[in-house]
Amino acid sequence: MQAAERVLVTGAGGFIGHHLVTYLVRTGHWVRGVDIKRPEYQPTSAQQFEVLDLRESDNCHKAMRGMDEVYALAANMGGIGFIETHKAEIVRDNTLINLQTIEAARLNGVKRFLFTSSACVYPAYRQKTPDVAPLREEDAYPADAEDGYGWEKLYMERVCEHYRSDYGLETRVVRFHNIYGPFGTYDGGREKSPAAICRKVAMAADVDTIEVWGDGRQTRSYCYIDDCVEGIHRLMRTEYREPLNLGTDRLVSINDLVDIVARIAGKAIRKQYDLTKPQGVRGRNSDNTKLRQVMGWEPATPLEQGLAITYDWISNELRKQGRLTAREDPAAINP
Ligand code: NAD
């Protein structure tokens, strides 16, 4: 690697941003982290961390001073329960954050700018069955993105393209597919399915029933956080400028996910389906053909391995907070 670039990570107080900072510092970069809040579960390893609200243009300029590269992760977001019920707040906040962040990057002479988009940009009409065809990058058009969060991401992808062609700012765009791992939100309403399921299984006793959103047959693919941060860094280093999927292509149903976590926990778990809860698209998978071509690499952590680490971390957090009794957590009493 060349001498330490000075790198800004926005959203460095959040799940992926926090891990990305750790990765970049470990690989020799000088990192400034910025977020509206500090990381919740572990101190940052960034050389500098500033608490700034990036909806304000002045703060975007402050964040950008002296930076060579920017990883733009800051966003008001959450799992399907959150994004389906906070559409105005999400599009307002993320439009302000993203436009002002890229404009400040341009005006402050940043060389490379990576924007974190989402599989939510893909059209609903391609995600109607559980055994869905994996989504290729070009499938995003004709557009019919998730209405709110997804449309804002798709719009910002276009903004990146225009800033590159009109102003010469080197932009990179990554589309994440369900990133999971330790230090991610696991309760409070913004959590996503792997973390929510780990929490529910940890808080259940053997042979208890947990609530599953929808009929459990909806499908997704899941990518472990260590693969995610390595992938983002690799993409920043390539000359590939179009949006690129970052995920795995192993399709599993929510029922499968519950069964895997139950096996990890060593509990027989029963499922009760709540069809009134949001469940998002019926099926979604990542086509990694282009990812392999561009990077000669793809995420490799097996789901069982990543979930075991995630389950351990979440159950430990719950234990520390005194939220598990001997009924759910006999190991704590008889280790
Ligand atoms: P996260 O919510 O943990 O992190 C986002 C961070 O942005 C939070 O720490 C939040 O405080 C910060 N933020 C929000 N508003 C801000 C503001 N006004 N000013 C400064 N900071 C602000 O989410 P994450 O999972 O780490 O996601 C990181 C990025 O990746 C986001 O852009 C998200 O949309 C995208 N993404 C994530 C996933 C996933 O599976 N986790 C999937 C698709 C896309």
Side-chain angles (χ1 to χ4, degrees), residues 11 13-17 35-37 52-55 73-77 97 116-118 149 153 176 178-179 192:
F15 166 49
I16 303 174
D35 200 295
I36 203 167
K37 64 167 174 65
L52 294 170
D53 182 346
L54 296 174
R55 289 171 299 184
L73 278 76
N76 186 349
M77 61 94 67
I97 293 169
T116 50
S117 185
S118 164
Y149 175 73
K153 289 285 190 195
F176 292 144
N178 297 306
I179 314 301
K192 301 185 162 187

Side-chain angles (χ1 to χ4, degrees), residues 5-49:
E5 296 100 355
R6 291 169 65 87
V7 176
L8 170 66
V9 177
T10 77
F15 166 49
I16 303 174
H18 176 64
H19 283 274
L20 180 61
V21 166
T22 308
Y23 181 88
L24 291 171
V25 170
R26 208 178 54 227
T27 51
H29 300 76
W30 187 95
V31 180
R32 175 183 299 148
V34 166
D35 200 295
I36 203 167
K37 64 167 174 65
R38 290 189 163 270
E40 263 164 78
Y41 308 109
Q42 197 185 47
T44 184
S45 43
Q47 283 86 347
Q48 199 178 72
F49 192 98

Side-chain angles (χ1 to χ4, degrees), residues 252-271:
V252 294
S253 68
I254 295 294
N255 283 331
D256 296 334
L257 205 58
V258 174
D259 293 343
I260 295 171
V261 175
R263 269 199 300 278
I264 290 166
K267 298 176 183 179
I269 294 290
R270 297 183 186 151
K271 309 173 192 91

Side-chain angles (χ1 to χ4, degrees), residues 180 224 264 300-310:
Y180 72 97
Y224 188 60
I264 290 166
T301 307
L303 184 59
E304 286 75 4
Q305 186 183 324
L307 281 175
I309 300 167
T310 309

Side-chain angles (χ1 to χ4, degrees), residues 114 160 165 224 277 309 316 320:
L114 183 142
C160 287
S165 55
Y224 188 60
K277 290 282 171 33
I309 300 167
N316 241 324
K320 279 196 288 193

Side-chain angles (χ1 to χ4, degrees), residues 152-166:
E152 195 281 331
K153 289 285 190 195
L154 194 61
Y155 164 72
M156 190 57 199
E157 291 188 359
R158 313 295 303 179
V159 172
C160 287
E161 184 177 331
H162 298 312
Y163 267 65
R164 178 167 57 74
S165 55
D166 290 4

